[in-house]
Amino acid sequence: MTERLPISRRTALQIAAATVAATTLNTPRRAEAARPRVILPNDRRLGDLKDLNGYFPFQPSATVAEWEKRAEYVRRQVMVACGIWPIPTKQPLNAVVHGKVERDDYTVERVILQTGDGLYCTGSLYRPKASAKGKRPAVLCPHGHWADGRFHRHNDKTFEGELKSKAETFESGRHPLQARCVQLARMGCVVFLYDMLGVADSSAPLPAGLIHGFAKQRDDLSKPDRWGMYSAQSEMRCLNSLGLQTWNSIRALDWISALDDVDPSRIGVTGASGGGTQTFILGAVDSRPSAFFPAVMVSTAMQGGCTCENATYLRVGTGNIELAALIAPRPLGMSAADDWTKELETKGLPELKQHYALLGVPDKVMGKYLPFPHNYNQPSRLMMYEFFNRYLNLGIQGPIVERDFTPLTTEEATVWTGDHKKPEATAEAFHGDWFRTGDLACRDERGYFYIVGRIKDMILRAGYNVYPREIEELLFEHPAVHECAVYGITEKTLY
């Protein structure tokens, strides 16, 4: 019996093409016949594989009718890639809003939304204290890949550079995510800053290492009858981190639109980097928000460096410029920096301006390069404030300037408090009346148990995962150490 070796479809195509060529060369022919050239089929599958670091230009349509047909196709493609076509059944959000924190001219509340079975959208809701004549505009803020997410705080070295370059001017600029929410609230907006999956308060049941750092298939979760995220079974079902985060954005929009004090016709969306991806993806699939400002993300170059920004089918025949074009004719503002977006003003923006002109709204798209590293710093935020002032009809006269503020501590911002615990985490921690400590143990032939590690208590330090067991083993090497235990505590000065 001949053993059949598995090969990829790509390899099979290359072998077939080579076989055809070889057959052509080896076919007997008359001596006077010219030797034919070997020409491989014009098949894209035989070429170099395309990755996220390629070139993704956008060719505007020639007519409005042509664009409408194209837009319907690309929008459907995005929704299929995200696993949200058709739109899943929306369950009650069971919203919990608690722990109000009072500041001088705004308040912040903790929000828990149950967006699915075991899936939560958590965040901070900012509201202005000043009275309003009618309902207020609202802004959704997906935060992106900042260390510690919604709890982010620049360390001393980073912040020193921010002050020196004039990227920030106030001490509170250490907290750039909070800064935009505070200023927007002072401008009269209701603002919801919400967590990406696996980050800050949204670390369970899908941890950051899986959602944002997956790199190798897990054999125990890649089987036909037992599978997890990023397995073949998951990909065939279009179940992916991009889709889950997009679903959280849609449900966050559902919730904020229904608040008594919010005008659902004046809702903006803004985020930077991975939050910028969430901004234009939400704009591509949902027609309700009225203005969008994705910062340092939209470009013809790198399309998104995290697993949470990519999905099977997503960018087949398209790219981020065209995905942002799906926002039209609604207003679109973009910032660019010294990263993959630095050529936006010459590659991408001209085509978007042509696209908006075709739709009769040439003034509703803007973009600007600012000479800073990848950021959502004060100059970029000032551009965003002016954009929303215009398109959310805030009515603020004169230049908009930020003022210093008192940042929230992690304890003030976290949604999981003594009175509001994670239901699934609590249920998982107990087996009957027994509490699962998370220790890993083995038992020898004599019946003795030995602790060999932990599955819990991983310490997050400035984006690094620190395992207590590793530190303990190092300490045990010192002859003066007989017993030790390492555990993490909150320390406000270490980030």
Side-chain angles (χ1 to χ4, degrees):
M1 180 180 294
T2 302
E3 182 180 5
R4 300 181 64 183
L5 298 176
I7 61 174
S8 68
R9 184 177 180 181
R10 177 183 176 82
T11 303
L13 283 167
Q14 291 173 327
I15 292 175
T19 301
V20 171
T23 302
T24 302
L25 287 173
N26 293 326
T27 300
R29 58 181 62 82
R30 285 179 289 192
E32 65 273 12
R35 179 182 289 273
R37 291 184 303 145
V38 178
I39 302 177
L40 294 177
N42 184 21
D43 192 321
R44 292 171 57 189
R45 293 170 294 179
L46 298 176
D48 294 334
L49 291 174
K50 196 165 188 176
D51 60 24
L52 59 87
N53 291 311
Y55 179 50
F56 296 79
F58 168 52
Q59 179 59 51
S61 298
T63 66
V64 173
E66 181 183 317
W67 168 247
E68 288 175 345
K69 183 178 180 180
R70 173 65 179 170
E72 181 181 1
Y73 180 89
V74 177
R75 183 172 290 109
R76 177 72 57 84
Q77 177 175 319
V78 174
M79 295 181 72
V80 169
C82 290
I84 57 172
W85 186 84
I87 287 289
T89 301
K90 294 181 178 180
Q91 302 176 3
L93 288 169
N94 300 320
V96 176
V97 182
H98 69 101
K100 180 184 288 188
V101 177
E102 300 277 352
R103 289 294 189 257
D104 54 355
D105 48 1
Y106 63 94
T107 64
V108 189
E109 295 171 281
R110 312 163 204 236
V111 177
I112 306 168
L113 307 176
Q114 187 171 359
T115 55
D117 293 335
L119 185 66
Y120 293 89
C121 180
T122 50
S124 302
L125 181 68
Y126 292 73
R127 275 191 170 112
K129 282 186 175 181
S131 59
K133 294 181 179 179
K135 292 191 174 184
R136 302 180 184 279
V139 179
L140 288 177
C141 290
H143 59 62
H145 296 100
W146 302 81
D148 302 318
R150 189 163 45 93
F151 307 147
H152 178 76
R153 176 183 184 273
H154 285 326
N155 60 40
D156 290 344
K157 183 177 180 180
T158 298
F159 190 57
E160 181 181 349
E162 295 288 281
L163 292 174
K164 185 176 181 180
S165 67
K166 305 298 182 183
E168 300 291 348
T169 58
F170 299 109
E171 176 62 27
S172 55
R174 285 181 181 271
H175 303 260
L177 278 73
Q178 292 188 42
R180 65 173 137 137
C181 299
V182 170
Q183 181 60 35
L184 286 168
R186 286 172 168 169
M187 292 166 61
C189 299
V190 176
V191 186
F192 185 42
L193 172 63
Y194 58 99
D195 296 321
M196 298 176 74
L197 290 178
V199 182
D201 283 328
S202 188
S203 59
L206 302 169
L210 174 66
I211 296 298
H212 307 289
F214 179 80
K216 184 179 180 181
Q217 285 293 341
R218 300 166 293 173
D219 293 340
D220 59 328
L221 289 175
S222 299
K223 301 176 181 178
D225 58 343
R226 188 173 187 273
W227 50 271
M229 295 282 287
Y230 308 110
S231 66
Q233 296 284 359
S234 178
E235 293 300 307
M236 287 191 294
R237 290 165 172 81
C238 295
L239 177 61
N240 50 64
S241 54
L242 173 70
L244 291 175
Q245 288 193 159
T246 301
W247 182 245
N248 269 3
S249 292
I250 292 172
R251 298 313 323 266
L253 178 59
D254 290 341
W255 174 73
I256 204 168
S257 300
L259 293 179
D260 292 340
D261 56 341
V262 167
D263 179 355
S265 69
R266 291 191 294 160
I267 294 180
V269 187
T270 184
S273 191
T277 299
Q278 277 298 298
T279 297
F280 66 73
I281 290 291
L282 180 60
V285 303
D286 202 304
S287 63
R288 291 174 293 173
S290 55
F292 299 81
F293 194 99
V296 292
M297 191 62 235
V298 179
S299 81
T300 58
M302 199 277 291
Q303 300 289 285
C306 180
T307 44
C308 79
E309 298 174 88
N310 294 278
T312 302
Y313 309 125
L314 180 64
R315 294 185 180 88
V316 177
T318 188
N320 287 353
I321 298 292
E322 185 172 42
L323 297 183
L326 291 171
I327 291 170
R330 294 168 292 174
L332 170 65
M334 299 162 289
S335 65
D338 283 328
D339 53 25
W340 58 89
T341 63
K342 63 185 179 181
E343 294 183 308
L344 174 67
E345 291 186 16
T346 57
K347 295 181 179 179
L349 183 59
E351 291 75 17
L352 285 170
K353 287 184 175 180
Q354 180 182 339
H355 174 65
Y356 269 71
L358 173 70
L359 299 179
V361 286
D363 296 331
K364 288 191 176 181
V365 61
M366 60 163 291
K368 185 176 182 180
Y369 162 78
L370 296 173
F372 295 96
H374 195 59
N375 72 87
Y376 207 167
N377 60 23
Q378 189 180 72
S380 299
R381 297 194 300 267
L382 291 174
M383 187 166 74
M384 176 265 291
Y385 301 145
E386 296 290 352
F387 174 82
F388 282 135
N389 183 38
R390 178 179 180 183
Y391 291 111
L392 295 183
N393 299 316
L394 303 183
I396 299 173
Q397 302 298 318
I400 298 172
V401 295
E402 288 186 338
R403 290 186 285 116
D404 209 356
F405 64 92
T406 303
L408 296 176
T409 64
T410 299
E411 291 77 7
E412 289 176 313
T414 183
V415 305
W416 306 117
T417 62
D419 296 330
H420 300 87
K421 303 182 185 302
K422 300 179 184 178
E424 285 75 16
T426 301
E428 184 181 351
F430 284 89
H431 182 68
D433 294 331
W434 290 88
F435 176 71
R436 302 178 190 269
T437 65
D439 292 313
L440 297 175
C442 64
R443 183 172 66 177
D444 64 15
E445 65 277 3
R446 296 174 298 172
Y448 289 101
F449 287 90
Y450 296 89
I451 303 296
V452 296
R454 296 188 190 127
I455 58 174
K456 293 185 177 181
D457 298 332
M458 182 179 69
I459 302 169
L460 300 177
R461 168 72 173 89
Y464 294 95
N465 298 335
V466 181
Y467 294 91
R469 182 69 182 180
E470 296 175 352
I471 302 176
E472 290 170 354
E473 289 177 351
L474 182 63
L475 292 173
F476 276 130
E477 293 179 2
H478 195 285
V481 176
H482 179 64
E483 290 289 348
C484 70
V486 174
Y487 59 94
I489 61 173
T490 300
E491 170 52 58
K492 299 176 184 177
T493 61
L494 293 179
Y495 288 88

